[in-house]
Amino acid sequence: MTELRDALRAPEPEVPPIAALRAWLLRPAGPVPVVLLAVVLFARAVRVAVVSTRGGMDNAFVVHAGQVWLGGGAPYADRRFLYLPSAVLFAAGQAALPAPVVRVAAPLACVALITGGWWCAVRLFRVPARSRFAVLGLLGLVLCWAPVGHLVNLGNWTAVGALALPLALLLADRGRWDMAGVVLGVSVAVKPLLLPLVVLLVLARRWRALAWMVAVPVALSVGAALIMPDPGGFFTRTLPFLLKGGDGLMRPFDASLPAVLPRLGLPPVPAAAVALAAAAAGVLCARLRWRRADRGPARLADTAALLMLASYLVSRPSYDHYLVVVVPLLVAGALEVDSVTRSPWFWVALVPQVPQFTFPGLDASTRRAFKDAATLSVLALVLAVRCARPSPGRPPDSGLP
């Protein structure tokens, strides 16, 4: 009789492999992966503290500018200080610390900002912070993706943007747009990398958030300019320096199209035209993605990421560690049904950034920009195509802002 009941019982439905994998990734990570991640992050920061006297080459430029200002000099006398006048206030804060403290604190802060940005990104997509996906995802980015290591090695303030972008999107997703504008404004005051997010606020018609994003860096810059020798140096020296593509130290690492295409034989003027056209197409596709108006955080993440990638295509300089602001945000949405990470081309674009990846003729560090430009261009193209097409089962334009 028991055998008969078992034979008549309806078979349990099979769980699709993708659903089973998603469920496994969302379960809490055990103590071993968490401890391993903590050790890897700490070791990454300690290595920089050991080999660099000022927490990284780029951080050293910032500290030097702060020291010059505290000593009564003009920070823009050094053309390598490429930030707004508001950034001098933050640089002075670092310069006031003892050198041994900066040496240790700068890489630790950089790692903490990247980790915080990843936490905000996974929470944006409602993924538990202690899940296997969150822990193993960050571990994979640190170990298997070179730009994260480059950012920590340099101690570049791009790490602020790596936290500010997902944090601002997380706040916006929860309806706190004004606070998101403040976060973006502070980030721009430190480093104007997230300026393209002005377009996102315009598309969303969040005028108060836009006002905060503009007012914070303007107020801090004006205040700093009033107590700074030669604040006009930002316009007379820094901007022309950037528009010319920097100097011989910067140009070989610049992955923007106006920098890379002339190295491939295209004259500068057509190269600039191609870059502007590509950036404009990216902005148009970002607008199409926003106007799709489907629910969920992917709308915010995709639109913001594409606006950033479009700016990287045309702005000079554009380095590989700028991608740390965008790629973790997209990877954090990998469990979403319509995520761009479902495209194999997304992962193909990241292959050149795998540590120890070599390609004939591109092994020299001065030729690394070609690999970086390939990654940037393919990522922008894949995301633009994904943003331009309508979602399955949804109208291409709902008419919502």
Side-chain angles (χ1 to χ4, degrees):
M1 185 63 68
T2 302
E3 290 78 3
L4 179 61
R5 284 198 303 268
D6 292 341
L8 295 176
R9 184 180 302 162
E12 296 183 1
E14 293 186 6
V15 179
I18 293 184
L21 176 61
R22 187 179 190 277
W24 184 86
L25 289 171
L26 290 176
R27 294 193 189 105
V32 174
V34 174
V35 171
L36 178 60
L37 175 61
V39 170
V40 169
L41 293 174
F42 182 72
R44 204 72 189 79
V46 169
R47 179 187 177 277
V48 178
V50 170
V51 302
S52 177
T53 57
R54 293 187 178 180
M57 180 181 70
D58 290 356
N59 189 68
F61 294 137
V62 172
V63 172
H64 174 70
Q67 291 172 339
V68 169
W69 181 58
L70 291 176
Y76 289 115
D78 183 357
R79 294 185 304 174
R80 296 190 184 282
F81 185 70
L82 307 176
Y83 307 102
L84 296 172
S86 56
V88 178
L89 302 174
F90 300 95
Q94 282 199 55
L97 297 173
V101 174
V102 173
R103 181 173 186 167
V104 175
L108 286 174
C110 198
V111 168
L113 290 169
I114 294 171
T115 303
W118 171 253
W119 183 88
C120 291
V122 296
R123 294 304 301 139
L124 173 66
F125 289 98
R126 279 73 168 176
V127 175
R130 285 292 304 273
S131 66
R132 289 168 176 158
F133 177 81
V135 174
L136 298 178
L138 181 56
L139 185 62
L141 286 171
V142 174
L143 293 179
C144 304
W145 195 51
V148 173
H150 295 162
L151 179 56
V152 179
N153 290 343
L154 293 170
N156 193 280
W157 282 8
T158 297
V160 175
L163 170 62
L165 176 58
L167 175 57
L169 297 183
L170 180 63
L171 291 168
D173 182 62
R174 281 149 175 73
R176 303 177 64 184
W177 282 91
D178 291 352
M179 186 57 66
V182 172
V183 170
L184 293 173
V186 172
S187 177
V188 170
V190 176
K191 182 172 183 174
L193 188 67
L194 299 186
L195 271 176
L197 271 297
V198 165
V199 180
L200 174 63
L201 299 182
V202 172
L203 290 174
R205 300 179 184 176
R206 299 291 176 169
W207 308 119
R208 286 197 305 179
L210 177 62
W212 277 113
M213 181 178 178
V214 174
V216 170
V218 168
L220 291 176
S221 293
V222 170
L226 294 176
I227 54 178
M228 180 194 307
D230 189 25
F234 175 77
F235 300 99
T236 60
R237 283 189 292 273
T238 302
L239 283 182
F241 180 70
L242 287 174
L243 293 175
K244 292 178 181 178
D247 55 16
L249 178 63
M250 299 167 59
R251 291 190 193 100
F253 303 96
D254 189 347
S256 65
L257 294 184
V260 170
L261 293 180
R263 297 178 66 183
L264 296 175
L266 190 66
V269 173
V274 169
L276 286 171
V283 173
L284 176 60
C285 291
R287 180 177 181 272
L288 292 174
R289 177 67 181 92
W290 182 260
R291 289 181 63 83
R292 194 188 304 167
D294 50 343
R295 295 182 179 180
R299 181 193 188 197
L300 279 167
D302 290 348
T303 305
L306 186 53
L307 289 173
M308 294 304 302
L309 290 174
S311 70
Y312 296 163
L313 288 172
V314 71
S315 64
R316 302 191 66 181
S318 183
Y319 300 125
D320 70 324
H321 59 261
Y322 287 6
L323 293 173
V324 181
V325 176
V326 174
V327 170
L329 176 65
L330 296 175
V331 172
L335 300 181
E336 297 288 308
V337 174
D338 200 33
S339 170
V340 69
T341 61
R342 301 295 179 96
S343 169
W345 291 105
F346 175 87
W347 302 103
V348 168
L350 299 186
V351 169
Q353 307 302 324
V354 173
Q356 306 305 319
F357 173 85
T358 59
F359 195 86
L362 301 182
D363 295 344
S365 62
T366 55
R367 297 177 182 175
R368 195 186 74 200
F370 294 110
K371 295 196 299 183
D372 301 338
T375 293
L376 170 59
S377 300
V378 175
L379 278 178
L381 178 60
V382 171
L383 183 57
V385 171
R386 184 60 60 101
C387 289
R389 74 182 192 185
S391 294
R394 293 183 183 272
D397 186 359
S398 69
L400 295 177

